[in-house]
Each structure stands twice: as C-alpha cells, then as structure tokens.
Amino acid sequence: MSQVTLTDLQKHRENNTKFSMVTAYDACFSSLASNAGIDSILVGDSLGMVLQGHSNTLPVTIQDIAYHTACVVAAAPKSMIISDMPFMAAATMQEATIAARALSQAGAQMIKIEGGKNLLDLIKLYQDHGVATCCHLGLTPQFVHRFGGYKVQGKTQEAADRLVETAEILNKAGSDVILLECVPNSVTERIMKVTNIPVVGIGAGPLCTGQVLVMHDLLGITPGNPARFVRNFMAENKSIQEAFRAYDRAIKDGSFPAMEHCFAD
Ligand code: KIV
C-alpha cells in the first residue's frame, strides 16, 4: 500500500468519506497505528504533556518535534505524517522558515500551526516553499493562558461567527487542512459549509472529514478523568493493535464520535 498523501485527504472531503488520525511519538506505537490502517499520524506537541509530564504544551521545542517526527517516520511508511509547530517557534518569518525546514527534513508531510488570521503570512510563506499547512482553530492549547483553561470555544454567537469567518479566510488563503478542536457541532456545520478543504475534528462532532485523538486517551492510559470527546477503545479490545483498528473502523462507519462525545451550543 502506498503512503497516504494530502491528495487522499482531499478526496475524502470531495467524496464525503472519513479518514482517521491519531497522535504518536515513537516508532513502536506509530508502526502499530499505521499497520492498523490509520490514515494519518500527528506528532503533536501534546507530547509535552503525555511524554514529558508538563502541565501544558508550551515547553515543547522544535528539536523535540523534529526528533519525534524522525522516530515516527522511520516506522510508519503507510500513514501521512503531520508535525506540530511548537509554541512561538514560528513567531518571525525567519524562525518560521528554520522551523519548517527542520520538520520537513525530519519527514513531516504537513505542518500544523495553532492560530487564526495571524497565520495568513505564514500560509503564503509555506505555500511558496511547497510546505503543506494545517491550521488548528477552536481550543488551541498553546493559548491556554489567554483562554483561562481548556474550554470549549465558539459558544457565543459572536465567537462562533469569528471562528467561521476565520476558517473561510484561511481556506481561501491556501491552508490545506483545518483542525477544529472542542467546538459545538453547530460551529462545525457552518465551517463545513464555508470551506472545501479537509476538516479534522477533536471534540468537533461527526460532520468533520477526519477525526483525531491523542493516542494515550484512546488507549485509556491518560491519568484522571477523560475529556467528553474521548472514547477508550482499549476497554473493548484485547490489544493495542486491535484498539487502533477499532478506532479507525468506528470513524469510517460513523459510530465515533457519537452524540455523547460532542458539545452543544
Ligand atoms: O498536539 C496535539 O496532539 C494536538 C491534538 C490535540 C489535535 O494538537
């Protein structure tokens, strides 16, 4: 089987079919995920919390993401590999260029960046250099201190309108994918109407083209109470490989996310 590419994700959007994505950070887990048929692996800055033990993602560096991207790329030849831009690593155009070079040379096929309309120049820079981008909107964990915690976004009419407008602008500017985190289903529905690129959701409801979860959450090994949008696939399966397969299947047959994993207005 050949490696999943951006073209495959775009076909899912055109054909209204679903794709699966999971975070992974090392060779062993990404090999299991890739062999289970998971379309895409995100080397997320969530590694700052689940691997490094920090209380948020801000301490993660470009060296961390590049290192873990190389580990994943070495073991998951079938899945599309997306890498996260860490906090403030693309604060200037020069830093953004150096950071994208490090992640692309480590093997990333796409770079995910948190933000909003401030990403317009970055999208253009990356487009000019052939780097595919995924803009992360909604609950962007790098903004945790401004949000005052990890809270559902787009709940008021004004906030919802802002998110929809931002998604439309970023789509028109050339973002290749949008990742939507923790927004009510009604916001996702509106964003799907104003965009034509793949939209990946985490806590953004079943209308998204793709779904992503942090690996430790779907395997039920994150300490504490799971977030509303998480389903523990390990609870129903005997091995990690089977849990990954069940996750992929549930996304593709539409049984995940169910209403219990979604947010209302
Ligand atoms: O860093 C990460 O793992 C993420 C996911 C929560 C989407 O951004």
Side-chain angles (χ1 to χ4, degrees):
M1 203 180 109
S2 57
Q3 187 171 28
V4 175
T5 66
L6 174 58
T7 309
D8 297 303
L9 304 193
Q10 285 162 339
K11 278 189 197 142
H12 281 294
R13 176 71 211 242
E14 281 162 30
N15 300 335
N16 204 18
T17 51
K18 305 288 180 191
F19 66 85
S20 54
M21 185 184 295
V22 70
T23 70
Y25 321 93
D26 71 6
C28 187
F29 284 104
S30 53
S31 164
L32 287 172
S34 194
N35 286 319
I38 294 185
D39 297 286
S40 176
I41 295 177
L42 171 66
V43 185
D45 63 358
S46 50
L47 69 83
M49 299 170 82
V50 297
L51 298 191
Q52 297 174 338
H54 299 296
S55 61
N56 58 51
T57 58
L58 306 192
V60 176
T61 65
I62 199 74
Q63 288 80 12
D64 292 333
I65 300 286
Y67 171 80
H68 287 281
T69 297
C71 296
V72 166
V73 166
K78 291 186 260 188
S79 306
M80 176 168 179
I81 312 299
I82 303 177
S83 297
D84 235 344
M85 184 63 72
F87 175 65
M88 296 289 276
T92 66
M93 287 298 123
Q94 193 186 359
E95 285 172 312
T97 307
I98 293 167
R101 186 169 62 210
L103 300 184
S104 301
Q105 290 183 340
Q109 290 162 270
M110 174 177 281
I111 294 178
K112 176 170 86 58
I113 325 159
E114 296 184 18
K117 290 180 206 159
N118 62 314
L119 299 178
L120 291 176
D121 289 343
L122 211 55
I123 292 171
K124 166 93 176 71
L125 173 80
Y126 286 168
Q127 241 186 359
D128 288 347
H129 289 87
V131 176
T133 51
C134 168
C135 293
H136 184 157
L137 306 179
L139 171 50
T140 42
Q142 291 171 13
F143 291 65
V144 59
H145 298 311
R146 293 215 66 215
F147 291 157
Y150 297 102
K151 296 175 182 166
V152 179
Q153 300 296 305
K155 288 187 79 168
T156 64
Q157 184 68 41
E158 196 196 338
D161 290 349
R162 228 180 7 247
L163 269 175
V164 174
E165 186 202 27
T166 303
E168 187 172 13
I169 288 173
L170 294 175
N171 185 162
K172 284 200 178 122
S175 178
D176 296 289
V177 170
I178 284 173
L179 190 146
L180 260 187
E181 178 162 352
C182 289
V183 299
N185 287 4
S186 58
V187 172
T188 304
E189 188 176 3
R190 289 180 60 195
I191 287 179
M192 292 304 285
K193 285 194 181 130
V194 298
T195 59
N196 60 6
I197 54 176
V199 176
V200 192
I202 173 164
L207 292 175
C208 299
T209 327
Q211 298 290 333
V212 59
L213 279 181
V214 170
M215 181 190 86
H216 296 64
D217 289 345
L218 88 83
L219 296 179
I221 53 176
T222 307
N225 290 330
R228 180 182 173 88
F229 55 80
V230 170
R231 176 168 151 195
N232 175 357
F233 285 86
M234 202 58 199
E236 314 145 27
N237 289 284
K238 291 201 185 76
S239 70
I240 291 170
Q241 179 99 69
E242 281 175 40
F244 281 146
R245 272 211 189 93
Y247 169 65
D248 177 68
R249 227 177 11 247
I251 291 169
K252 288 171 182 168
D253 70 18
S255 55
F256 177 78
M259 283 321 283
E260 75 217 53
H261 306 116
C262 297
F263 297 105
D265 292 319

